[in-house]
Amino acid sequence: MSRNVLITGGSRGIGLAIAKELAKNGYHLAINGVRDEHSVIEVLEDLKQYGSKIIYCQGDISSNEDRIKILQQIKKGLGVLHVLINNAGVAPRERKDILDMSADSYDRVMDINLKGPFFLTQEVAKQMLQRKNERSDFKGCIVNVSSVSAHTASVFRGEYCISKAGMSMMTKLFAVRLGKEGIPVYEVQPGVIETDMTAAVLEKYQKMVHEGFTLVPRLGQPGDVAIAVKALVEGNIPYATGETIKIDGGMSIPTL
Ligand SMILES: NC(=O)c1ccc[n+]([C@@H]2O[C@H](COP(=O)([O-])OP(=O)(O)OC[C@H]3O[C@@H](n4cnc5c(N)ncnc54)[C@H](OP(=O)(O)O)[C@@H]3O)[C@@H](O)[C@H]2O)c1
């Protein structure tokens, strides 16, 4: 059976790598991003080469109206939604000490990184539960892309850390609520991955990697995260839900 997947923030970076990995494996995709469709036309054409159905659902996941619109577009363009990948996220526009963080920056990051994914998941979960009596072994799957920042304190982007720590609890909450219904919920925690998000601080991280910051001696690539997400979506980590997979080159292991 071909499955339909929504990847928020699927138009570039980690989300796009996940999209490529899933398209290659026959999944039909709804790609979400904030830019208009015209700006991502080449990305969509590239994804279509694998033969899957690809639609673009432009919308800001922090907006209730946009979330509803995105799900309506999927219903019309693909039909039933089987898998949700909560990947879209932003860093604070400015890295500022928590003593100087503004309420506006806090709200923006929390709305996009946590409130949006929470209420999108709530809606998708309800749709999945409405279909629970259908004769299918696959009831659905949800993957949340959080970050090592869920457990690593960075005082210069505290709002980002709080949003990702919240996503960890959100993963557990939905895993508990949906576990008995046969819908696994997972969290993937990337470390430092080379994307537009890290472009401005890449030199600093490259130097840190050189000095032994990660056990795997390189920066992460979007494809590293995509491979893990594909394994989860394909059901290749059975008998697990609410679990976290760190794709961070080993940087999170406390050492003495
Ligand atoms: N890169 C890293 O080192 C790293 C590490 C740990 C975790 N992460 C997490 O991984 C996820 C992807 O990061 P990335 O590095 O791939 O970021 P990225 O290259 O900056 O791409 C962000 C994606 O999210 C979309 N997006 C941003 N705001 C949105 C909104 N309000 N509504 C819908 N879509 C929105 C963007 O859409 P447009 O293309 O339309 O702008 C884009 O597709 C994020 O949740 C991030 O926190 C990244």
Side-chain angles (χ1 to χ4, degrees):
M1 185 193 72
S2 295
R3 290 174 188 159
N4 301 326
V5 184
L6 165 58
I7 306 172
T8 68
S11 51
R12 60 195 162 104
I14 293 172
L16 178 57
I18 296 169
K20 282 186 185 157
E21 196 64 36
L22 295 182
K24 268 188 230 167
N25 284 277
Y27 290 83
H28 302 308
L29 305 179
I31 301 294
N32 154 259
V34 276
R35 286 176 292 164
D36 64 26
E37 183 153 358
H38 186 70
S39 319
V40 294
I41 216 82
E42 280 175 25
V43 170
L44 301 177
E45 287 308 313
D46 188 40
L47 286 171
K48 282 178 190 163
Q49 68 172 301
Y50 302 108
S52 297
K53 276 191 235 165
I54 308 289
I55 64 165
Y56 185 64
C57 305
Q58 190 266 338
D60 175 352
I61 50 158
S62 68
S63 147
N64 188 37
E65 218 172 83
D66 282 9
R67 289 193 299 273
I68 293 168
K69 194 183 74 185
I70 291 163
L71 293 178
Q72 283 170 343
Q73 276 178 281
I74 294 172
K75 201 170 180 188
K76 196 163 158 232
L78 295 180
V80 164
L81 182 59
H82 301 100
V83 178
L84 168 63
I85 316 279
N86 282 308
N87 163 78
V90 291
R93 288 199 174 103
E94 273 182 280
R95 289 186 172 215
K96 278 193 175 177
D97 186 296
I98 47 166
L99 299 185
D100 300 318
M101 184 208 297
S102 68
D104 281 351
S105 179
Y106 179 94
D107 286 346
R108 170 180 170 267
V109 172
M110 292 294 281
D111 285 356
I112 297 172
N113 291 6
L114 185 58
K115 186 177 173 188
F118 179 88
F119 285 103
L120 184 63
T121 304
Q122 184 192 64
E123 201 45 48
V124 171
K126 285 190 210 167
Q127 289 186 7
M128 287 174 174
L129 292 182
Q130 276 168 10
R131 303 193 304 269
K132 70 179 187 180
N133 294 326
E134 276 174 19
R135 278 196 356 199
S136 163
D137 288 344
F138 186 80
K139 303 292 180 198
C141 176
I142 296 166
V143 181
N144 298 322
V145 180
S146 70
S147 167
V148 288
S149 297
H151 58 79
T152 307
S154 305
V155 288
F156 284 95
R157 50 196 176 96
E159 59 277 62
Y160 184 78
C161 298
I162 297 168
S163 71
K164 296 299 186 179
M167 191 174 235
S168 278
M169 179 48 74
M170 172 187 144
T171 303
K172 291 182 184 72
L173 290 168
F174 278 108
V176 170
R177 182 63 184 82
L178 302 176
K180 288 198 180 74
E181 314 290 349
I183 302 167
V185 184
Y186 304 108
E187 177 185 359
V188 174
Q189 292 184 346
V192 182
I193 311 294
E194 266 193 86
T195 67
D196 293 344
M197 186 180 270
T198 48
V201 282
L202 211 62
E203 234 173 83
K204 172 185 143 188
Y205 284 122
Q206 248 151 359
K207 189 165 173 281
M208 285 165 70
V209 166
H210 194 65
E211 289 163 359
F213 172 62
T214 51
L215 301 179
V216 181
R218 64 171 174 84
L219 288 167
Q221 295 302 316
D224 295 321
V225 183
I227 288 168
V229 172
K230 189 198 92 178
L232 293 167
V233 170
E234 294 256 276
N236 288 337
I237 321 259
Y239 202 55
T241 185
E243 265 309 323
T244 302
I245 299 193
K246 294 187 175 77
I247 307 294
D248 65 356
M251 64 169 268
S252 301
I253 302 175
T255 51
L256 194 62

